[in-house]
Amino acid sequence: MKKFSNLLIKEIRELINKQLIFSLIFTLFIFYFIGQMTRVEAKRAETSRRLGVLDLDRSSISRGLLDNLRLVRFEIDEFETRDKEEALSLARQKNLNFVLVIPPGLGEGVEKLEPREIETYTFLRSFSLGAARYSEIFRVILETANNYLSNEALKKKLPEISPDNLKRPLKSRDFVIVRDRKAEASGSAIAGFMYSQSIFVPIILALIIIYSSQMVISAIAMEKQNKTLETLLTVPISRSSIVAAKMLAAGIVGLLSTLIYLAGFRWYMRGFTADVAQVAGGLTPIIKELGLSMTTSGSLILLISLFLAILCALAMATILGVLAEDYRSAQSLIMPLLLLVMIPYFLSIFTDLRTLSWPARIVIYAIPFSHPFMTTQNILFHNYRNIAFGIIYMLAVFIVLVLITARIFSTDRVLTMKLRWRRRQVVL
């Protein structure tokens, strides 16, 4: 046992080097920095919705329209001039992004139920994502304007009836049912909130599997290239112990990297889901009422599933690393593993794997990395049978891969096996 622990410590020390530590710390910092910057920019965008207005009507209708825009948090910068070109020039000097021009006769047209055109001018100064939000702001402006003007017209024509009842004679009460629990809420709101909270799990898993596998393949290839693997095989310890130490060390490092990436990516996603966070307070009681909150036991099950997926990837990577001739050829051997990760990754994001045809589902379920992508949803919906099947299946795949790897390491073929792409055959 002491020899195995010493070998395990030796493998961990080789994997946890200065480059790895720097990479993890730098990645964590980048995630945190981008998340904080995005959150700050989102808050600034909410508080700096300045709007230039040229009101050529000056009626009670147009003044009421501007008051409604102020109610939806627009900062109105109204021009005193009556000349449109002069107003646009002033807007350019004040660095405004959009200008609203209310035409003369707007109030009269509303009273006669005759449409009037409101002109909007956008000062496009970049093609960034921040500039793209201006179209959404104008959508809010026009929706507010139309809603206000139609309400005013209906109040004058039918003062005894509420305009909202006329425009929306049918109203709905939305309910969501999860298993045997029911709550009054919008299904799209619940699904969107839960998606924003769980989307980082498959992303992090894909990154960690690819990263850890590349690390193992490269390490074994370097050992073969530097002839240190031959020295290691002469140590008085069983070959199976060598295989177990390599995989366990890589699994521990991979799990540590997973936790760091999860923390960093959560900071990162908070910046992009600031709007979701605003409604989270209202949805939290409903989420708890529906039993969709992740418990401590659920988090532990998810962590076990992630760890088994990493172990399966590392076992495959060990076999691929043995087939590598040198460090350079090891870089291309990650492709088969990359495909096995990417297929269920994209499918889990864009579709429900349970809706696929049976042949497609058999293929997807045969890939061990598919099960962790579904674990979060299975936990929240209490599909423990599927979770148990996934864990048992990944454990069985890992055991089979370990046996194959131990079989390879038990002979001298581990030193001579090479995958030559030019000849397209394995040379023993």
Side-chain angles (χ1 to χ4, degrees):
M1 187 64 184
K2 184 177 180 180
K3 292 181 180 179
F4 177 79
S5 60
N6 291 335
L7 181 59
L8 178 62
I9 294 174
K10 172 254 182 189
E11 294 291 340
I12 293 178
R13 285 179 177 176
E14 289 183 354
L15 293 175
I16 303 181
N17 48 36
K18 294 181 180 179
Q19 290 81 2
L20 176 62
I21 296 175
F22 175 78
S23 175
L24 292 177
I25 294 177
F26 182 74
T27 302
L28 193 63
F29 171 77
I30 289 296
F31 279 153
Y32 177 79
F33 177 77
I34 295 178
Q36 289 297 109
M37 289 296 297
T38 306
R39 179 180 293 187
V40 170
E41 289 298 320
K43 289 183 178 179
R44 189 173 68 176
E46 293 176 1
T47 58
S48 62
R49 300 200 300 178
R50 294 181 61 198
L51 176 67
V53 174
L54 176 59
D55 186 2
L56 299 177
D57 186 50
R58 300 285 180 175
S59 65
S60 59
I61 297 294
S62 66
R63 307 314 297 174
L65 172 60
L66 298 185
D67 291 338
N68 273 267
L69 290 175
R70 292 186 180 95
L71 289 177
V72 291
R73 296 187 301 176
F74 278 101
E75 182 181 342
I76 305 297
D77 195 334
E78 192 170 355
F79 303 112
E80 298 297 332
T81 180
R82 306 284 295 180
D83 183 73
K84 185 190 305 182
E85 295 301 324
E86 183 180 352
L88 293 177
S89 177
L90 290 173
R92 189 178 292 105
Q93 294 176 12
K94 294 181 179 181
N95 203 32
L96 297 176
N97 292 315
F98 23 77
V99 173
L100 184 68
V101 178
I102 301 177
L106 175 70
E108 182 182 354
V110 171
E111 292 178 356
K112 296 180 179 180
L113 299 180
E114 296 177 354
R116 291 290 188 270
E117 291 184 349
I118 296 178
E119 297 180 357
T120 59
Y121 294 86
T122 303
F123 292 87
L124 194 60
R125 298 183 175 90
S126 71
F127 299 105
S128 63
L129 292 177
R133 64 182 173 85
Y134 300 151
S135 60
E136 181 65 19
I137 291 177
F138 275 119
R139 186 192 64 79
V140 175
I141 293 175
L142 293 179
E143 184 179 344
T144 302
N146 284 322
N147 187 60
Y148 170 75
L149 295 176
S150 61
N151 285 345
E152 290 299 310
L154 290 172
K155 285 179 182 178
K156 291 183 177 180
K157 298 294 181 180
L158 302 169
E160 70 280 0
I161 301 177
S162 171
D164 188 59
N165 293 339
L166 284 173
K167 291 189 292 184
R168 295 198 306 164
L170 294 178
K171 300 181 180 180
S172 67
R173 292 183 65 188
D174 300 324
F175 293 89
V176 176
I177 298 177
V178 178
R179 300 183 309 279
D180 57 344
R181 300 190 180 189
K182 180 179 68 173
E184 186 172 358
S186 169
S188 60
I190 297 295
F193 177 75
M194 297 306 300
Y195 178 81
S196 68
Q197 298 301 301
S198 60
I199 183 61
F200 64 91
V201 173
I203 296 176
I204 291 299
L205 178 59
L207 289 176
I208 291 299
I209 287 178
I210 295 171
Y211 173 75
S212 301
S213 301
Q214 183 68 60
M215 179 176 59
V216 171
I217 293 177
S218 301
I220 295 178
M222 285 295 294
E223 286 184 338
K224 291 184 67 175
Q225 181 175 328
N226 298 333
K227 306 300 182 182
T228 55
L229 185 59
E230 297 180 10
T231 305
L232 179 61
L233 295 177
T234 61
V235 175
I237 188 173
S238 64
R239 302 284 180 93
S240 58
S241 298
I242 295 176
V243 174
K246 284 182 174 294
M247 291 187 180
L248 184 57
I252 293 174
V253 175
L255 185 60
L256 176 62
S257 303
T258 301
L259 297 176
I260 294 176
Y261 271 83
L262 283 173
F265 204 78
R266 181 174 288 274
W267 288 335
Y268 172 78
M269 289 300 296
R270 281 178 181 174
F272 289 92
T273 57
D275 54 337
V276 177
Q278 291 178 359
V279 299
L283 289 179
T284 299
I286 301 175
I287 295 296
K288 292 182 178 179
E289 185 178 351
L290 292 173
L292 295 177
S293 300
M294 182 68 76
T295 61
T296 303
S297 59
S299 301
L300 182 60
I301 293 174
L302 177 60
L303 195 61
I304 293 173
S305 181
L306 293 176
F307 185 61
L308 286 175
I310 293 173
L311 289 181
C312 289
L314 295 177
M316 294 182 186
T318 303
I319 297 175
L320 293 174
V322 171
L323 297 176
E325 183 176 0
D326 50 27
Y327 180 79
R328 181 179 299 179
S329 63
Q331 307 304 311
S332 60
L333 290 176
I334 192 66
M335 287 304 299
L337 193 56
L338 179 62
L339 291 176
L340 291 177
V341 175
M342 289 293 101
I343 291 175
Y345 165 67
F346 284 111
L347 287 177
S348 65
I349 291 180
F350 297 111
T351 187
D352 186 355
L353 297 180
R354 295 172 299 177
T355 62
L356 298 176
S357 62
W358 270 110
R361 263 190 281 180
I362 292 174
V363 172
I364 295 300
Y365 288 161
I367 302 175
F369 311 118
S370 302
H371 300 279
F373 293 145
M374 299 180 289
T375 298
T376 301
Q377 290 192 25
N378 287 331
I379 290 174
L380 296 177
F381 288 105
H382 293 189
N383 297 326
Y384 295 115
R385 181 181 300 178
N386 295 340
I387 297 173
F389 169 77
I391 291 177
I392 294 173
Y393 177 73
M394 287 189 291
L395 184 60
V397 170
F398 173 68
I399 293 174
V400 170
L401 291 174
V402 169
L403 293 176
I404 294 175
T405 308
R407 178 76 175 177
I408 295 174
F409 271 76
S410 64
T411 65
D412 292 335
R413 287 183 297 175
V414 67
L415 302 174
T416 59
M417 292 182 67
K418 298 176 183 178
L419 186 63
R420 299 184 184 275
W421 294 104
R422 294 179 181 177
R423 300 180 183 180
R424 296 185 181 181
Q425 62 179 2
V426 177
V427 181
L428 302 181

